[in-house]
Amino acid sequence: MDKVNFNDISACVFDFGNVLVSYDPMRLTHACIKNEEEARIVCPVVFDRLYWDALDAGIVSDDEVKEAFCKRLPDALCRQATEVYDRWIENLTVIDGMKNLIEKISASGRRLYILSNISRGFAEKYSSVPHINELLSVFDGLVFSGCIGITKPDKRIYRYLLDRFSLDAGRCVFIDDRQENVQAAISEGMKGILFDSGACGLESALF
């Protein structure tokens, strides 16, 4: 990860999936379906980007997605697939070291924000999942794409964040696991870090 001058930073902006929490569709499927053959049938259908990209963009609902994927699955697997989908948030795991790092950044006086491609359903439900609510409660502001109908790397979503929270782009660092999202943030005047070396690597890049 490229190092930034932390003294110049007043706000750290984080992606959510695969930065703060591990988003692993097969692991999320196995949390509900122990049979390997059944899990391998269900996983690619439930987590099809056809649905999740539309969820991120805010153009379909959870119920519409569940109805759609059940049509593609044997009747015997529909109930299990629906359980996987209904419980995916509670089955997310925080990436090792990230909670402590977030708390360290907060203690340093920097503001913390989330900018994530994620569904309206997540925004409505995460507070009922204790470990996810605890993680996100440290943040000063949250922007979820499904709630505003704009997804990264569309530059408008970065501008939305900056304007909504009156942030100085030049004093913000954006952390994401996708290079195109980081590059879009940089093009809007923010500093950027590609999250590819875990919490330890990110801490070294910041402090």
Side-chain angles (χ1 to χ4, degrees):
M1 298 183 192
D2 293 333
K3 189 169 182 62
V4 300
N5 186 345
F6 201 53
N7 292 328
D8 293 339
I9 299 300
S10 62
C12 295
V13 183
F14 285 82
D15 181 29
F16 182 68
N18 290 329
V19 173
L20 295 178
V21 299
S22 175
Y23 176 78
D24 179 344
M26 185 54 78
R27 195 197 66 79
L28 295 173
T29 303
H30 277 144
C32 299
I33 302 176
K34 304 308 179 185
N35 181 284
E36 184 66 26
E37 182 179 353
E38 293 177 347
R40 291 192 177 279
I41 294 170
V42 167
C43 182
V45 176
V46 171
F47 292 98
D48 191 334
R49 289 312 314 180
L50 173 70
Y51 307 135
W52 289 71
D53 288 346
L55 287 162
D56 290 350
I59 58 178
V60 296
S61 68
D62 289 335
D63 286 342
E64 287 171 328
V65 167
K66 288 186 282 189
E67 182 180 354
F69 68 58
C70 275
K71 290 178 180 177
R72 295 171 54 188
L73 290 167
D75 290 344
L77 293 180
C78 181
R79 181 191 60 79
Q80 291 171 283
T82 299
E83 181 184 8
V84 170
Y85 188 86
D86 286 341
R87 296 181 59 193
W88 77 271
I89 302 172
E90 69 183 76
N91 287 322
L92 292 170
T93 56
V94 180
I95 290 174
D96 287 346
M98 287 305 294
K99 185 174 184 293
N100 288 340
L101 178 55
I102 292 298
E103 291 172 349
K104 180 177 180 178
I105 293 170
S106 180
S108 76
R110 275 70 179 179
R111 308 282 282 179
L112 289 166
Y113 299 93
I114 294 286
L115 181 62
S116 177
N117 284 355
I118 206 161
S119 68
R120 181 183 295 273
F122 175 87
E124 294 171 347
K125 297 171 185 174
Y126 80 83
S127 61
S128 66
V129 180
H131 70 288
I132 300 299
N133 187 56
E134 181 183 6
L135 177 69
L136 295 187
S137 67
V138 180
F139 286 79
D140 299 288
L142 311 172
V143 174
F144 300 132
S145 64
C147 297
I148 61 173
I150 311 170
T151 58
K152 298 175 294 185
D154 188 322
K155 294 178 182 180
R156 292 177 298 164
I157 198 170
Y158 303 90
R159 183 51 51 190
Y160 177 92
L161 170 88
L162 296 168
D163 291 345
R164 177 177 174 184
F165 298 110
S166 301
L167 301 176
D168 178 352
R171 301 200 66 204
C172 294
V173 61
F174 175 68
I175 300 111
D176 197 291
D177 64 313
R178 298 181 68 87
Q179 183 62 52
E180 61 266 34
N181 295 340
V182 173
Q183 193 56 49
I186 292 171
S187 72
E188 289 301 299
M190 304 168 73
K191 296 174 176 61
I193 295 176
L194 179 66
F195 186 82
D196 60 2
S197 302
C200 289
L202 179 57
E203 184 170 6
S204 296
L206 292 173
F207 290 95

